[in-house]
Amino acid sequence: MMKQINYVGLDEDEQGGLTHIGKIIRDGWLFGFIPETQTGAGWNQGQIQSLYEKVWAAWEPYAHLPSRLPPELQEKYMRIQNEALAKAKAKGWDPELEDDD
């Protein structure tokens, strides 16, 4: 039996939280499924999957494109993303060093 590994949370995530799971958490904030204080720390795979499914459904009316969000959600999206980029850069994230695997 494999040991379940819980998510470390946005603050401890690799790449300053600019990962697939980090995006799910931030999109959960965007659509109000979780408060912006929730980093997902300690969440198991099932909890992340549940949030992913909600986020996926919330994006569908907008064709999963930020440019199709209504203005108030576009503003919130940009604020969340800009803050995430600033935090990641402050922790040493460098987009030039990203793998294209």
Side-chain angles (χ1 to χ4, degrees), residues 27-52:
D27 285 353
W29 297 347
L30 173 67
F31 292 109
F33 296 124
I34 57 175
E36 290 187 40
T37 55
Q38 174 57 263
T39 67
W43 282 18
N44 64 40
Q45 187 175 3
Q47 290 170 293
I48 294 166
Q49 181 66 33
S50 177
L51 180 60
Y52 170 79

Side-chain angles (χ1 to χ4, degrees), residues 2 5 19 22 24 27 33 43 51-53 59 61 63 67 73 78 80 82 84 86 90 96 101:
M2 290 179 47
I5 299 173
T19 61
I24 294 166
D27 285 353
F33 296 124
W43 282 18
L51 180 60
Y52 170 79
E53 290 170 9
W59 271 113
S67 62
L73 283 180
M78 292 308 299
I80 289 169
N82 288 334
E96 298 294 322
D101 293 345

Side-chain angles (χ1 to χ4, degrees), residues 75-89:
E75 285 180 29
K76 187 175 181 181
Y77 176 84
M78 292 308 299
R79 177 184 55 78
I80 289 169
Q81 298 310 315
N82 288 334
E83 289 174 5
L85 285 170
K87 285 180 183 179
K89 287 178 182 178

Side-chain angles (χ1 to χ4, degrees), residues 1-9 13-14 21 40-49:
M1 186 171 181
M2 290 179 47
K3 181 182 176 190
Q4 182 168 323
I5 299 173
N6 292 347
Y7 179 59
V8 295
D13 197 351
E14 61 186 35
I21 294 174
W43 282 18
N44 64 40
Q45 187 175 3
Q47 290 170 293
I48 294 166
Q49 181 66 33

